[in-house]
Amino acid sequence: MTKIVIVGGVAGGASAAARARRLSEDAKIVMFERGPFVSFANCGLPYHVGGDIQDRSKLLLQTPDSFLARFNVDVRVMNEVTSINRSDKTVTVKNLVDGSQYTESYDFLLLSPGAAPFVPPINGIANPLTHTLRNIPDMDRILQTIQMNKPEHATVVGGGFIGLEMMEAFHQLGIKTTLIEMADQVMTPVDKEMAGFAHAEIRAHDVDLRLGVALESVHYTNNVQVASKDAGEATEHQHLQGSLQLTLNNGEQLNTDILIMSIGVRPESSLAKEAGLQLGAFGGIYTNDAMQTSDPAIYAVGDAVEDKDFVTGKPGFVPLAGPANRQGRMAADNMLGRSETYQGTQGTAIVKIFDLAVASVGKNEKVLKREGIRYEKVYVHTASHASYYPGSEIVSLKLLFSPETGKILGAQAAGKDGVDKRIDVLAVAQRAGMTIEQLQHLELTYAPPYGSAKDVINQAAFVANNILKGDSTPIHFDEVDNLTSDQILLDVRNPGELENVGFIAGAINIPVDQLRQRMDELPKDKEIIIYCQVGLRGNVAYRQLVNSGFKARNLIGGYRTYKFASI
């Protein structure tokens, strides 16, 4: 009889336990969780704070009793594994309720301790109004502070997934909110010009967004301590009331009533390190493709491990629920005699920011530059479904691909409808090894309420193939402000658009429908840099000009990309 011991009872650990039982009725499975809950929906925590998920119990996917009843797994909450004795194949466990210690043997050990919020040693950060959000007790403490302190202002530090979701939660509760991000953009998985759509949406909801600044110190003031007695009870309760004064690294000060620290997470790898297991460059637990650590009897999954990046093949640290669940399943297979290998992490992710969705897959431009990987990029801004059918929204899509092989390196999208569909399609295409040329031929569902005859994906592939075939010579938004005297800027939109939407200074305006008759107004000894609103009319103008002997380039993504890159 195989005995499997699992450390950590959330995504990866719970998936492994359930899968192991489905494969074997004979295996003895013990799962340790140092917190009071297992198999809870930690990605849903901000949505309970904000009120979207009103019933707290819906976050509890399984309980120790239900796990025992359905899967015959011995789940021990409030039990922390404190050390691993690899030679004896035992773990030392501390019962956090009564403080007692005991050992548990294993044939196979699975480590799934997750990742913990990183809080830097900021002066004054340890106070009752400052919180992180990782689990249900964290969420309960935040809700308690909201109830007792009745904040009028909240501050969130960090513009990642949890930070953005908590920003929206506070806004929904009617609490004035400031979001502080040390980088020059939120949502680092996407590039800055795509993050501009998020910045615009955040500011449109009257959130005080501060980019490029960091929290330097916190001063806590305990304004009032109100003592009261509940009816029929002799116990006094202290009602927490206080405020915080935040000092930023630019010298500005900010008064707030609750502070959420959400600047990132670090893998919980101390247990593995103390046991002498190999760690990776990011501090996560090393595993091979079978999810085995440097000890063949010990496996590791989820946010605590470094897994192989799908694009680069290098180790990376991408704490996402999807990979954790798949890794848990594969580890269980391998512990019970099967041979499964993990195929790499693409980093497919999406976040809701008020009415906007921002999503990405694969590598962004920043990483490709850093890794020295050659790439080309295109932008399209087109309708989520047929534009003549009510409810159509613009999907802004950035596609990154290899100019040599045509393989998809990454994609990013923002919009109010249909963003998840497009990134999911591109995630599948990337996983399948499809090229830009093959992407043209995807046959996606079309009816006016759902899509277009030429989907966003097809259109991005058409633009990319035009570049690869030499049918279009691109210029990008970050080059337009640095033109030489040998280049001139041509705006081919209608004059009314310039007044209503904006324009790039110094451009000549000739609407595309007048271009054939007015070409003699343009010099043939200079390169014509063409732009329109989203790039489509610019391409029409480009073909007219180059077919008439002009040297030209088209601004990919048009004025819309240029505009949002600066927000």
Side-chain angles (χ1 to χ4, degrees), residues 82-101:
T82 57
S83 65
I84 302 167
N85 188 323
R86 290 165 53 192
S87 59
D88 293 344
K89 296 183 95 170
T90 62
V91 294
T92 302
V93 186
K94 182 178 181 180
N95 185 316
L96 299 179
V97 176
D98 61 18
S100 62
Q101 289 198 9

Side-chain angles (χ1 to χ4, degrees), residues 223-464:
N223 296 335
V224 184
Q225 286 284 349
V226 182
S228 68
K229 291 186 178 181
D230 289 346
E233 292 186 11
T235 308
E236 288 194 347
H237 295 275
Q238 295 297 315
H239 290 260
L240 178 66
Q241 292 188 338
S243 62
L244 301 172
Q245 185 180 68
L246 311 180
T247 300
L248 308 181
N249 65 348
N250 61 1
E252 293 179 357
Q253 291 192 326
L254 178 67
N255 293 320
T256 196
D257 304 311
I258 184 171
L259 174 62
I260 305 295
M261 295 298 295
S262 182
I263 62 173
V265 295
R266 286 185 173 176
E268 287 263 25
S269 55
S270 57
L271 187 65
K273 183 179 180 180
E274 289 165 8
L277 298 176
Q278 182 181 339
L279 302 185
F282 296 94
I285 304 169
Y286 161 83
T287 62
N288 60 19
D289 290 344
M291 304 315 298
Q292 277 176 310
T293 68
S294 52
D295 183 328
I298 303 178
Y299 290 72
V301 300
D303 295 355
V305 309
E306 293 184 12
D307 40 26
K308 184 172 71 176
D309 183 89
F310 183 80
V311 175
T312 67
K314 296 181 179 180
F317 176 60
V318 184
L320 292 171
N325 279 281
R326 296 197 305 277
Q327 291 165 5
R329 176 187 174 93
M330 291 174 188
D333 280 7
N334 293 336
M335 287 187 286
L336 290 169
R338 297 195 175 189
S339 181
E340 296 287 338
T341 58
Y342 186 65
Q343 304 294 315
T345 297
Q346 294 169 271
T348 314
I350 189 167
V351 67
K352 175 183 178 294
I353 306 172
F354 300 109
D355 296 325
L356 188 77
V358 181
S360 63
V361 64
K363 298 290 98 178
N364 59 37
E365 193 173 348
K366 298 187 293 280
V367 173
L368 293 173
K369 284 180 179 177
R370 189 170 68 234
E371 294 287 333
I373 298 172
R374 289 196 66 220
Y375 66 91
E376 185 53 87
K377 61 183 177 179
V378 297
Y379 303 87
V380 292
H381 308 277
T382 191
S384 58
H385 60 247
S387 56
Y388 56 81
Y389 187 88
S392 173
E393 298 283 356
I394 295 175
V395 175
S396 295
L397 176 70
K398 177 179 184 177
L399 183 60
L400 295 149
F401 56 95
S402 166
E404 288 92 8
T405 66
K407 289 285 183 72
I408 300 163
L409 300 175
Q412 303 157 35
K416 296 185 177 182
D417 178 58
V419 166
D420 53 343
K421 169 182 174 179
R422 273 68 188 205
I423 291 297
D424 282 344
V425 168
L426 287 169
V428 173
Q430 184 186 56
R431 176 73 62 172
M434 291 181 67
T435 64
I436 293 299
E437 196 279 330
Q438 292 169 325
L439 210 59
Q440 297 177 105
H441 304 291
L442 285 186
E443 191 170 324
L444 304 173
T445 55
Y446 165 55
Y450 302 110
S452 299
K454 289 188 291 187
D455 189 79
V456 181
I457 302 286
N458 301 121
Q459 293 201 38
F462 295 154
V463 176

Side-chain angles (χ1 to χ4, degrees), residues 29-105:
I29 306 169
V30 182
M31 186 163 69
F32 293 104
E33 170 57 51
R34 67 185 175 193
F37 303 99
V38 293
S39 191
F40 62 88
N42 49 3
C43 294
L45 302 179
Y47 297 105
H48 180 59
V49 174
D52 292 301
I53 301 171
Q54 295 194 356
D55 187 350
R56 180 177 178 277
S57 66
K58 291 190 181 297
L59 299 171
L60 303 174
L61 307 179
Q62 294 281 352
T63 66
D65 289 341
S66 67
F67 233 108
L68 179 63
R70 180 167 296 182
F71 298 110
N72 191 24
V73 172
D74 180 3
V75 178
R76 304 179 196 176
V77 295
M78 302 302 291
N79 277 254
E80 181 178 11
V81 175
T82 57
S83 65
I84 302 167
N85 188 323
R86 290 165 53 192
S87 59
D88 293 344
K89 296 183 95 170
T90 62
V91 294
T92 302
V93 186
K94 182 178 181 180
N95 185 316
L96 299 179
V97 176
D98 61 18
S100 62
Q101 289 198 9
Y102 60 98
T103 60
E104 193 77 32
S105 64

Side-chain angles (χ1 to χ4, degrees), residues 159-176:
F161 296 104
I162 294 175
L164 291 167
E165 289 161 358
M166 284 303 300
M167 169 202 71
E168 183 173 354
F170 286 131
H171 183 273
Q172 286 187 192
L173 294 173
I175 301 170
K176 180 73 176 173

